[in-house]
Amino acid sequence: ETSLAEVGAALRAKNKTPDALRFYLLNTEVNATGGAYQQLAGAQLAAGDTVAAVASLEKAVALNPNDQRLKQMLDRFKKK
């Protein structure tokens, strides 16, 4: 059984970012976890959508407020 995130990763590896975004977004609807939003943010950044990536990272941090790595990522992209 393949997860939505795995399908998204496979699509990103094949440079099919728009398709990957659909799977990552669906994954956040099914599995609203910090990791799911972090993966979505990565794909959004790859697509050049920093504004959407920041919003996704904010959701990831809200779900995992003690994750310093997520907070650092969010701070880095908020400054851009």
Side-chain angles (χ1 to χ4, degrees):
E1 182 176 315
T2 303
S3 73
L4 294 169
E6 290 171 330
V7 173
L11 289 166
R12 269 189 76 187
K14 293 180 179 181
N15 292 319
K16 296 183 178 186
T17 303
D19 294 328
L21 277 167
R22 289 185 197 94
F23 278 90
Y24 285 130
L25 185 58
L26 182 59
N27 190 41
T28 62
E29 293 173 12
V30 175
N31 303 303
T33 65
Y37 281 104
Q38 181 181 356
Q39 290 170 328
L40 176 60
Q44 290 165 326
L45 287 170
D49 193 348
T50 305
V51 173
V54 166
S56 293
L57 286 171
E58 287 173 338
K59 290 177 184 176
V61 169
L63 291 166
N64 294 327
N66 296 322
D67 189 328
Q68 294 304 314
R69 189 175 51 84
L70 278 177
K71 288 181 181 180
Q72 290 170 352
M73 285 177 62
L74 177 59
D75 289 342
R76 185 171 64 232
F77 290 109
K78 274 187 159 180
K79 292 177 184 175
K80 289 187 177 186

